Amino acid sequence: ETGVTQTPRHLVMGMTNKKSLKCEQHLGHNAMYWYKQSAKKPLELMFVYNFKEQTENNSVPSRFSPECPNSSHLFLHLHTLQPEDSALYLCASSPPVGESEKLFFGSGTQLSVL
Amino acid sequence: GQQVMQIPQYQHVQEGEDFTTYCNSSTTLSNIQWYKQRPGGHPVFLIQLVKSGEVKKQKRLTFQFGEAKKNSSLHITATQTTDVGTYFCAGYTGANSKLTFGKGITLSVRP
């Protein structure tokens, strides 16, 4: 248990569905992240929130929409995804961005888009 | 842009053998981190190196940061089956920079 909880663990969705991934951290951190992990690729940073403000959007398609209502919760809203979006989506948290922080990852959501 | 490279992506060793892997950056790093991801799991932070030439040990694992702060190594002494997984290095180039991950090396250990 890392203190970062992601739900659901697995998700299968059609290309026309709308779904949301949820992440919650109990570590008192102020920065939260979404990463995408595909086979044979480096971990891809998608979004960064620092003190609830989005500080990084790494050229992510608009079919992925993040939401950070407070420093403990992070969502990733999904709509009209493509099969190539199938991957493991990892949430992470850390102390505030800019302090050479180490990341604490959640267990991830394994997403399959049919 | 900054690149962090880990080659090869896969390595197989016999249990009891030593294992060394390297991480190379195209730019000077302010610090480097190593993570381990077990099969079916998520990345878990192992260590952070900050100083040029720094060496840190965790039981059978030895981590080193290069003198020029552009490369790092991970050495495992007498590998065990519990060492299987993917080892990622990740580096920062400076204050407020992004943490850039390498592709990782997946280690398998034959019992």
Side-chain angles (χ1 to χ4, degrees):
Chain A
E1 181 58 52
T2 65
V4 180
T5 304
Q6 284 187 249
T7 55
R9 291 294 304 272
H10 302 275
L11 178 62
V12 179
M13 60 187 290
M15 289 190 284
T16 58
N17 291 158
K18 289 185 180 181
K19 296 286 184 184
S20 295
L21 310 185
K22 179 183 176 182
C23 177
E24 184 175 359
Q25 59 96 2
H26 307 277
L27 300 169
H29 290 159
N30 293 303
M32 296 189 77
Y33 310 74
W34 280 116
Y35 279 88
K36 176 183 179 182
Q37 187 174 38
S38 305
K40 300 183 181 179
K41 287 188 176 181
L43 280 161
E44 298 175 56
L45 178 64
M46 300 175 72
F47 302 103
V48 181
Y49 279 82
N50 200 25
F51 292 96
K52 299 189 298 178
E53 297 297 321
Q54 188 180 121
T55 58
E56 187 83 32
N57 177 339
N58 210 21
S59 301
V60 180
S62 60
R63 57 187 183 269
F64 294 91
S65 174
E67 178 188 0
C68 187
N70 54 61
S71 292
S72 299
H73 293 86
L74 185 65
F75 296 90
L76 187 62
H77 303 301
L78 316 172
H79 63 98
T80 59
L81 294 192
Q82 304 297 311
E84 59 263 31
D85 296 322
S86 299
L88 179 66
Y89 288 85
L90 290 160
C91 172
S93 72
S94 77
V97 172
E99 298 182 1
S100 297
E101 58 283 358
K102 65 182 184 184
L103 302 181
F104 292 78
F105 286 89
S107 299
T109 295
Q110 187 65 54
L111 174 67
S112 297
V113 182
L114 305 179
Chain B
Q2 179 195 356
Q3 285 190 322
V4 175
M5 292 157 287
Q6 292 182 260
I7 298 171
Q9 282 191 264
Y10 303 93
Q11 194 154 345
H12 312 278
V13 299
Q14 186 72 39
E15 188 174 20
E17 288 183 347
D18 291 355
F19 163 76
T20 302
T21 189
Y22 300 91
C23 174
N24 295 293
S25 171
S26 57
T27 57
T28 302
L29 301 170
S30 59
N31 66 71
I32 195 159
Q33 300 176 1
W34 286 89
Y35 292 78
K36 178 183 179 182
Q37 185 172 19
R38 294 183 184 275
H42 56 274
V44 175
F45 175 83
L46 293 177
I47 204 94
Q48 177 170 277
L49 304 169
V50 179
K51 300 176 183 175
S52 169
E54 187 172 13
V55 177
K56 287 188 176 180
K57 293 189 175 184
Q58 287 182 352
K59 297 182 180 178
R60 294 177 295 102
L61 276 62
T62 302
F63 303 84
Q64 184 164 7
F65 204 5
E67 294 291 340
K69 301 183 75 173
K70 295 182 74 174
N71 56 69
S72 180
S73 65
L74 159 61
H75 178 82
I76 303 178
T77 303
T79 54
Q80 300 176 0
T81 54
T82 52
D83 296 323
V84 299
T86 301
Y87 293 84
F88 296 95
C89 64
Y92 283 104
T93 53
N96 299 315
S97 67
K98 292 186 299 186
L99 185 62
T100 300
F101 280 85
K103 285 187 177 182
I105 180 167
T106 298
L107 174 66
S108 64
V109 179
R110 294 186 296 271

